[in-house]
Amino acid sequence: MLKRLLNGGEETNSIVFCPQSGTSEIQLLNLFLKNYQDAKVLSTDPIHGLKHTDVINVFDILEFNDKRSLADLLKSWNVSSCTRTSSIVVVKSLTGLLFQYTPTQVARFIKFLEGSFKKVFCVLHEDCVESNTFESLTKLCSTVINIKAPQNSTHKGKKICSIFHRKGSGKIVQSKELFSISGDDKLEVEAYVHKDTFAQVEDDTEDIAANLTTFKIGTKDSEAEAKSNLVLPFYTDQQKSNFQGEVKLQNESNKIYYEPDSGDDWDDEDPDDDLDL
């Protein structure tokens, strides 16, 4: 999914990058911006490593007692003068804007950008905003890319990319992949399978079951083999001679074998004879 988004195989007009604490979205953002030379960057955070020079530092221009809306401020900065078909805007980050504006104002600002630019890329830090605000703002974008570091040491140097993508038809597509970006901006992606967790869960389940009982639940291999080879005493001679693990006569339909014992009553007395019917 990540490569399809980069190559244009999946159409999207707005992406929000959500890096977990300790991770950075800069390398991945640079790959998305590689094909766009006219991108505008609205910065509220340090942008070290971002390969773009057309940067507007919002807080260098913005007065904290400014009562104008974000859309009016954008117009005053001459950012929206670009044509929608050829320009892209990056907001790094929405987290910084939320320190100055309400979530409602920031949400309206995102929709304004979507109507003014071809593509909108945003950055939002989940651990810096309230959970309901985070969920509401991410739902405004057609694609959400969560970035976090893997806990497994075997994935050293890689990051986990969880993508939530809403297509134009309304269909929701999700994926979880491992990715790494080399020094020459080469992207490597592979499917993420957390095998160690599944194995650990199975082991923990067996340990818990063993600790909860005073007797052994399972069987050894030797016990299972003895059980499968056991010939029960009510088998017929033919069944015993042809025994292959199941009770079945060759070339015959199923039958019921019954041997009467001393308790069987074979008289012809009417069991209801004592009743006045």
Side-chain angles (χ1 to χ4, degrees):
M1 175 61 72
L2 183 58
K3 283 190 173 181
R4 286 180 59 82
L5 287 170
L6 274 171
N7 299 331
E10 291 288 348
E11 286 293 332
T12 180
N13 61 338
S14 57
I15 300 178
V16 56
F17 298 85
C18 305
Q20 192 184 54
S21 178
T23 61
S24 173
E25 77 291 344
I26 292 296
Q27 282 186 306
L28 192 57
L29 190 55
N30 280 331
L31 289 182
F32 276 91
L33 294 175
K34 195 171 184 180
N35 297 327
Y36 300 95
Q37 302 299 325
D38 56 347
K40 305 288 183 180
V41 181
L42 304 181
S43 171
T44 64
D45 304 337
I47 55 171
H48 304 300
L50 191 62
K51 298 177 181 178
H52 238 279
T53 57
D54 196 354
V55 179
I56 298 175
N57 192 323
V58 175
F59 287 160
D60 282 350
I61 301 174
L62 179 64
E63 296 181 6
F64 281 85
N65 60 354
D66 201 321
K67 302 300 182 183
R68 291 178 294 175
S69 68
L70 281 166
D72 291 336
L73 286 171
L74 192 66
K75 292 176 182 177
S76 68
W77 300 333
N78 295 322
V79 177
S80 60
S81 59
C82 303
T83 60
R84 186 182 187 279
T85 57
S86 61
S87 58
I88 184 172
V89 65
V90 180
V91 182
K92 188 180 182 316
S93 66
L94 297 177
T95 311
L97 291 178
L98 287 169
F99 293 146
Q100 172 69 11
Y101 294 94
T102 65
T104 302
Q105 291 174 311
V106 174
R108 289 174 179 170
F109 182 56
I110 294 174
K111 302 309 291 184
F112 173 80
L113 293 177
E114 288 182 350
S116 303
F117 292 86
K118 182 180 179 181
K119 290 185 182 293
V120 179
F121 295 158
C122 305
V123 179
L124 181 61
H125 303 87
E126 183 177 4
D127 53 348
C128 296
V129 297
E130 295 182 358
S131 58
N132 57 344
T133 301
F134 177 83
E135 292 178 4
S136 298
L137 291 179
T138 52
K139 287 179 181 178
L140 294 175
C141 298
S142 55
T143 306
V144 181
I145 299 179
N146 293 290
I147 305 170
K148 66 178 182 179
Q151 297 179 351
N152 195 330
S153 58
T154 59
H155 301 317
K156 187 177 181 181
K158 299 180 180 179
K159 296 177 184 177
I160 299 175
C161 175
S162 301
I163 300 176
F164 180 92
H165 176 61
R166 183 172 59 253
K167 295 188 175 184
S169 60
K171 181 180 179 181
I172 303 298
V173 180
Q174 299 185 64
S175 70
K176 196 170 187 179
E177 301 166 314
L178 281 170
F179 77 95
S180 62
I181 302 174
S182 60
D184 56 352
D185 291 339
K186 183 179 179 181
L187 176 67
E188 295 184 1
V189 180
E190 61 183 88
Y192 176 75
V193 180
H194 208 346
K195 295 181 179 178
D196 294 345
T197 298
F198 298 147
Q200 184 65 33
V201 169
E202 292 178 358
D203 294 341
D204 292 346
T205 304
E206 292 179 0
D207 293 340
I208 292 172
N211 294 332
L212 289 177
T213 59
T214 57
F215 56 89
K216 186 175 66 174
I217 297 177
T219 58
K220 298 179 180 178
D221 293 339
S222 58
E223 294 172 339
E225 183 179 358
K227 180 180 178 182
S228 64
N229 294 327
L230 177 64
V231 179
L232 298 177
F234 53 79
Y235 287 179
T236 65
D237 293 337
Q238 185 177 359
Q239 287 175 310
K240 293 179 181 179
S241 61
N242 297 328
F243 179 71
Q244 295 181 351
E246 55 184 35
V247 184
K248 188 175 181 181
L249 296 178
Q250 297 292 334
N251 302 323
E252 291 189 22
S253 59
N254 294 333
K255 295 181 180 181
I256 297 176
Y257 296 90
Y258 176 73
E259 292 183 9
D261 55 24
S262 58
D264 292 323
D265 188 2
W266 293 98
D267 57 36
D268 296 329
E269 293 180 1
D270 184 1
D272 298 328
D273 189 38
D274 58 338
L275 301 177
D276 186 12
L277 299 176

